[in-house]
Amino acid sequence: FPPRGFAYAVLDVGGVLVGCFTVHLKSNYVPEGEDPARQKTLNRLKRELASEQLLRRIARLEADGHDGRPVTRFIVAGDFNNSIHDERFADETTIRAFLDAGFRNAFEGFTGDAYATLPASAGYPPATFDYILVKGFDRVGEPETLPDSGTSDHRMIRVTLKP
């Protein structure tokens, strides 16, 4: 089991079951004294393994349902600690695996400051590490990043979804 990972619940929303997953995947931290290239590779592999496990769980819910009822909609949201818009993560499949499995990024088309969920700090540029990935939903209205709440170093994100 990779460090961090995910938690989920199956919710009944208007008679439709929705698999709701929250993630906080392995960080990009490289401890002092460690080989940076090796540690970056290990961090990436831990995130990719966690996403594979999560996609297997989702596939089981799609195939078997929950308590005899089908689960047809899914939300996977949280801190993926990588970005599909950042060249540093160009080879990483953590998020792309979800997109390949039919999920959509609820913030599709947003980049840069409009969707920088991790503000610039200590020599690091702003980054988009947080995503809302959806399957079986349409987006309603404009997604948004919310101002700093003081509860996290990441900005909160929200979007309104409809079936």
Side-chain angles (χ1 to χ4, degrees):
F1 290 80
R4 301 188 184 184
F6 66 90
Y8 81 99
V10 176
L11 305 177
D12 186 324
V13 180
V16 176
L17 293 185
V18 180
C20 298
F21 295 78
T22 181
V23 301
H24 189 189
L25 303 185
K26 177 65 179 90
S27 72
N28 294 293
Y29 177 68
V30 177
E32 256 186 69
E34 291 289 329
D35 174 28
R38 179 181 179 276
Q39 191 62 49
K40 287 177 185 178
T41 299
L42 289 172
N43 291 344
R44 185 194 82 228
L45 292 172
K46 290 172 185 177
R47 287 189 297 268
E48 289 175 340
L49 177 59
S51 69
E52 288 174 15
Q53 290 175 343
L54 176 50
L55 284 166
R56 282 195 305 271
R57 168 66 64 187
I58 289 168
R60 283 197 307 270
L61 285 170
E62 285 179 310
D64 302 336
H66 177 76
D67 286 342
R69 295 174 57 199
V71 182
T72 57
R73 295 189 176 103
F74 297 89
I75 302 169
V76 180
D79 182 357
F80 286 81
N81 271 310
N82 69 97
S83 175
I84 56 175
H85 305 295
D86 190 322
E87 285 301 314
R88 294 175 295 171
F89 304 97
D91 294 334
E92 186 161 335
T93 63
T94 301
I95 297 169
R96 287 176 186 82
F98 286 93
L99 301 176
D100 291 346
F103 280 80
R104 292 183 306 115
N105 177 6
F107 281 72
E108 193 172 284
F110 281 60
T111 58
D113 289 340
Y115 182 44
T117 62
L118 186 60
S121 66
Y124 292 101
T128 301
F129 281 175
D130 304 271
Y131 289 84
I132 299 173
L133 305 175
V134 297
K135 191 172 186 180
F137 286 95
D138 288 326
R139 183 176 76 189
V140 177
E142 289 297 314
E144 60 184 316
T145 56
L146 304 175
D148 184 7
S149 67
T151 59
S152 173
D153 58 339
H154 294 240
R155 293 180 182 140
M156 292 186 289
I157 57 177
R158 74 174 171 201
V159 65
T160 302
L161 303 170
K162 75 171 187 175

